[in-house]
PDB file of all heavy atoms in Angstrom:
ATOM      1  N   ILE T 177    -181.132 -16.808 179.059  1.00 95.00           N
ATOM      2  CA  ILE T 177    -180.068 -16.146 179.823  1.00 95.00           C
ATOM      3  C   ILE T 177    -180.505 -15.933 181.267  1.00 95.00           C
ATOM      4  O   ILE T 177    -179.775 -16.248 182.218  1.00 95.00           O
ATOM      5  CB  ILE T 177    -179.696 -14.807 179.160  1.00 95.00           C
ATOM      6  CG1 ILE T 177    -178.994 -15.052 177.828  1.00 95.00           C
ATOM      7  CG2 ILE T 177    -178.804 -13.971 180.085  1.00 95.00           C
ATOM      8  CD1 ILE T 177    -178.805 -13.807 176.996  1.00 95.00           C
ATOM      9  N   ILE T 178    -181.713 -15.402 181.436  1.00 96.00           N
ATOM     10  CA  ILE T 178    -182.216 -15.146 182.790  1.00 96.00           C
ATOM     11  C   ILE T 178    -182.382 -16.454 183.559  1.00 96.00           C
ATOM     12  O   ILE T 178    -181.966 -16.562 184.716  1.00 96.00           O
ATOM     13  CB  ILE T 178    -183.551 -14.385 182.726  1.00 96.00           C
ATOM     14  CG1 ILE T 178    -183.348 -13.010 182.090  1.00 96.00           C
ATOM     15  CG2 ILE T 178    -184.157 -14.226 184.116  1.00 96.00           C
ATOM     16  CD1 ILE T 178    -184.643 -12.305 181.715  1.00 96.00           C
ATOM     17  N   CYS T 179    -182.987 -17.450 182.913  1.00 96.00           N
ATOM     18  CA  CYS T 179    -183.207 -18.740 183.587  1.00 96.00           C
ATOM     19  C   CYS T 179    -181.890 -19.386 184.002  1.00 96.00           C
ATOM     20  O   CYS T 179    -181.750 -19.850 185.139  1.00 96.00           O
ATOM     21  CB  CYS T 179    -183.975 -19.686 182.668  1.00 96.00           C
ATOM     22  SG  CYS T 179    -185.736 -19.351 182.557  1.00 96.00           S
ATOM     23  N   THR T 180    -180.932 -19.423 183.092  1.00 96.00           N
ATOM     24  CA  THR T 180    -179.664 -20.109 183.381  1.00 96.00           C
ATOM     25  C   THR T 180    -178.894 -19.435 184.502  1.00 96.00           C
ATOM     26  O   THR T 180    -178.456 -20.090 185.461  1.00 96.00           O
ATOM     27  CB  THR T 180    -178.785 -20.155 182.117  1.00 96.00           C
ATOM     28  OG1 THR T 180    -179.486 -20.826 181.073  1.00 96.00           O
ATOM     29  CG2 THR T 180    -177.483 -20.882 182.396  1.00 96.00           C
ATOM     30  N   LEU T 181    -178.742 -18.116 184.419  1.00 96.00           N
ATOM     31  CA  LEU T 181    -177.907 -17.426 185.400  1.00 96.00           C
ATOM     32  C   LEU T 181    -178.570 -17.325 186.763  1.00 96.00           C
ATOM     33  O   LEU T 181    -177.896 -17.444 187.798  1.00 96.00           O
ATOM     34  CB  LEU T 181    -177.533 -16.044 184.874  1.00 96.00           C
ATOM     35  CG  LEU T 181    -176.612 -16.052 183.651  1.00 96.00           C
ATOM     36  CD1 LEU T 181    -176.253 -14.639 183.212  1.00 96.00           C
ATOM     37  CD2 LEU T 181    -175.332 -16.844 183.921  1.00 96.00           C
ATOM     38  N   THR T 182    -179.884 -17.117 186.816  1.00 96.00           N
ATOM     39  CA  THR T 182    -180.539 -17.068 188.123  1.00 96.00           C
ATOM     40  C   THR T 182    -180.645 -18.472 188.738  1.00 96.00           C
ATOM     41  O   THR T 182    -180.621 -18.613 189.962  1.00 96.00           O
ATOM     42  CB  THR T 182    -181.938 -16.436 188.033  1.00 96.00           C
ATOM     43  OG1 THR T 182    -182.723 -17.122 187.045  1.00 96.00           O
ATOM     44  CG2 THR T 182    -181.824 -14.966 187.661  1.00 96.00           C
ATOM     45  N   TYR T 183    -180.749 -19.490 187.894  1.00 97.00           N
ATOM     46  CA  TYR T 183    -180.724 -20.868 188.394  1.00 97.00           C
ATOM     47  C   TYR T 183    -179.396 -21.151 189.093  1.00 97.00           C
ATOM     48  O   TYR T 183    -179.360 -21.826 190.131  1.00 97.00           O
ATOM     49  CB  TYR T 183    -180.924 -21.833 187.223  1.00 97.00           C
ATOM     50  CG  TYR T 183    -180.929 -23.304 187.590  1.00 97.00           C
ATOM     51  CD1 TYR T 183    -181.980 -23.861 188.313  1.00 97.00           C
ATOM     52  CD2 TYR T 183    -179.882 -24.130 187.192  1.00 97.00           C
ATOM     53  CE1 TYR T 183    -181.982 -25.213 188.628  1.00 97.00           C
ATOM     54  CE2 TYR T 183    -179.882 -25.484 187.500  1.00 97.00           C
ATOM     55  CZ  TYR T 183    -180.934 -26.023 188.217  1.00 97.00           C
ATOM     56  OH  TYR T 183    -180.931 -27.362 188.537  1.00 97.00           O
ATOM     57  N   ILE T 184    -178.307 -20.609 188.572  1.00 96.00           N
ATOM     58  CA  ILE T 184    -176.994 -20.763 189.202  1.00 96.00           C
ATOM     59  C   ILE T 184    -176.967 -20.076 190.559  1.00 96.00           C
ATOM     60  O   ILE T 184    -176.364 -20.589 191.521  1.00 96.00           O
ATOM     61  CB  ILE T 184    -175.886 -20.189 188.297  1.00 96.00           C
ATOM     62  CG1 ILE T 184    -175.798 -20.987 186.990  1.00 96.00           C
ATOM     63  CG2 ILE T 184    -174.538 -20.191 189.006  1.00 96.00           C
ATOM     64  CD1 ILE T 184    -175.481 -22.452 187.182  1.00 96.00           C
ATOM     65  N   ILE T 185    -177.632 -18.918 190.681  1.00 96.00           N
ATOM     66  CA  ILE T 185    -177.705 -18.247 191.980  1.00 96.00           C
ATOM     67  C   ILE T 185    -178.392 -19.140 193.002  1.00 96.00           C
ATOM     68  O   ILE T 185    -177.922 -19.308 194.124  1.00 96.00           O
ATOM     69  CB  ILE T 185    -178.463 -16.903 191.863  1.00 96.00           C
ATOM     70  CG1 ILE T 185    -177.669 -15.920 190.995  1.00 96.00           C
ATOM     71  CG2 ILE T 185    -178.699 -16.295 193.245  1.00 96.00           C
ATOM     72  CD1 ILE T 185    -178.398 -14.606 190.759  1.00 96.00           C
ATOM     73  N   GLY T 186    -179.511 -19.732 192.604  1.00 94.00           N
ATOM     74  CA  GLY T 186    -180.223 -20.623 193.511  1.00 94.00           C
ATOM     75  C   GLY T 186    -179.436 -21.879 193.826  1.00 94.00           C
ATOM     76  O   GLY T 186    -179.356 -22.308 194.980  1.00 94.00           O
ATOM     77  N   LEU T 187    -178.844 -22.483 192.804  1.00 94.00           N
ATOM     78  CA  LEU T 187    -178.103 -23.730 192.988  1.00 94.00           C
ATOM     79  C   LEU T 187    -176.859 -23.513 193.851  1.00 94.00           C
ATOM     80  O   LEU T 187    -176.487 -24.376 194.639  1.00 94.00           O
ATOM     81  CB  LEU T 187    -177.707 -24.289 191.620  1.00 94.00           C
ATOM     82  CG  LEU T 187    -177.348 -25.779 191.540  1.00 94.00           C
ATOM     83  CD1 LEU T 187    -178.522 -26.644 191.972  1.00 94.00           C
ATOM     84  CD2 LEU T 187    -176.929 -26.136 190.115  1.00 94.00           C
ATOM     85  N   GLY T 188    -176.232 -22.360 193.709  1.00 94.00           N
ATOM     86  CA  GLY T 188    -175.042 -22.062 194.495  1.00 94.00           C
ATOM     87  C   GLY T 188    -175.350 -21.540 195.881  1.00 94.00           C
ATOM     88  O   GLY T 188    -174.430 -21.274 196.663  1.00 94.00           O
ATOM     89  N   ASN T 189    -176.651 -21.370 196.185  1.00 92.00           N
ATOM     90  CA  ASN T 189    -177.072 -20.835 197.483  1.00 92.00           C
ATOM     91  C   ASN T 189    -176.449 -19.465 197.735  1.00 92.00           C
ATOM     92  O   ASN T 189    -176.108 -19.119 198.872  1.00 92.00           O
ATOM     93  CB  ASN T 189    -176.704 -21.802 198.613  1.00 92.00           C
ATOM     94  CG  ASN T 189    -177.454 -21.502 199.901  1.00 92.00           C
ATOM     95  OD1 ASN T 189    -178.578 -20.982 199.872  1.00 92.00           O
ATOM     96  ND2 ASN T 189    -176.844 -21.805 201.034  1.00 92.00           N
ATOM     97  N   PHE T 190    -176.306 -18.672 196.664  1.00 95.00           N
ATOM     98  CA  PHE T 190    -175.759 -17.335 196.795  1.00 95.00           C
ATOM     99  C   PHE T 190    -176.807 -16.399 197.407  1.00 95.00           C
ATOM    100  O   PHE T 190    -178.011 -16.657 197.287  1.00 95.00           O
ATOM    101  CB  PHE T 190    -175.297 -16.807 195.436  1.00 95.00           C
ATOM    102  CG  PHE T 190    -174.185 -17.618 194.819  1.00 95.00           C
ATOM    103  CD1 PHE T 190    -174.193 -17.920 193.463  1.00 95.00           C
ATOM    104  CD2 PHE T 190    -173.138 -18.081 195.594  1.00 95.00           C
ATOM    105  CE1 PHE T 190    -173.177 -18.670 192.888  1.00 95.00           C
ATOM    106  CE2 PHE T 190    -172.113 -18.831 195.031  1.00 95.00           C
ATOM    107  CZ  PHE T 190    -172.126 -19.129 193.681  1.00 95.00           C
ATOM    108  N   SER T 191    -176.353 -15.339 198.028  1.00 94.00           N
ATOM    109  CA  SER T 191    -177.242 -14.450 198.792  1.00 94.00           C
ATOM    110  C   SER T 191    -177.687 -13.262 197.937  1.00 94.00           C
ATOM    111  O   SER T 191    -176.886 -12.375 197.647  1.00 94.00           O
ATOM    112  CB  SER T 191    -176.519 -13.942 200.038  1.00 94.00           C
ATOM    113  OG  SER T 191    -176.066 -15.009 200.836  1.00 94.00           O
ATOM    114  N   HIS T 192    -178.958 -13.263 197.561  1.00 95.00           N
ATOM    115  CA  HIS T 192    -179.541 -12.120 196.855  1.00 95.00           C
ATOM    116  C   HIS T 192    -180.409 -11.362 197.851  1.00 95.00           C
ATOM    117  O   HIS T 192    -181.325 -11.930 198.442  1.00 95.00           O
ATOM    118  CB  HIS T 192    -180.380 -12.596 195.671  1.00 95.00           C
ATOM    119  CG  HIS T 192    -180.881 -11.497 194.797  1.00 95.00           C
ATOM    120  ND1 HIS T 192    -181.961 -10.716 195.137  1.00 95.00           N
ATOM    121  CD2 HIS T 192    -180.432 -11.021 193.605  1.00 95.00           C
ATOM    122  CE1 HIS T 192    -182.173  -9.831 194.187  1.00 95.00           C
ATOM    123  NE2 HIS T 192    -181.253  -9.996 193.246  1.00 95.00           N
ATOM    124  N   VAL T 193    -180.118 -10.076 198.030  1.00 95.00           N
ATOM    125  CA  VAL T 193    -180.739  -9.332 199.120  1.00 95.00           C
ATOM    126  C   VAL T 193    -182.261  -9.291 199.020  1.00 95.00           C
ATOM    127  O   VAL T 193    -182.947  -9.373 200.043  1.00 95.00           O
ATOM    128  CB  VAL T 193    -180.167  -7.893 199.194  1.00 95.00           C
ATOM    129  CG1 VAL T 193    -180.459  -7.105 197.932  1.00 95.00           C
ATOM    130  CG2 VAL T 193    -180.694  -7.165 200.412  1.00 95.00           C
ATOM    131  N   VAL T 194    -182.815  -9.207 197.810  1.00 95.00           N
ATOM    132  CA  VAL T 194    -184.263  -9.096 197.665  1.00 95.00           C
ATOM    133  C   VAL T 194    -184.924 -10.468 197.731  1.00 95.00           C
ATOM    134  O   VAL T 194    -185.854 -10.689 198.508  1.00 95.00           O
ATOM    135  CB  VAL T 194    -184.632  -8.371 196.358  1.00 95.00           C
ATOM    136  CG1 VAL T 194    -186.158  -8.235 196.234  1.00 95.00           C
ATOM    137  CG2 VAL T 194    -183.987  -6.989 196.319  1.00 95.00           C
TER     138      VAL T 194
END
Side-chain angles (χ1 to χ4, degrees):
I177 291 170
I178 297 168
C179 283
T180 302
L181 293 182
T182 54
Y183 180 70
I184 296 300
I185 294 176
L187 200 60
N189 197 29
F190 297 138
S191 303
H192 187 282
V193 62
V194 181

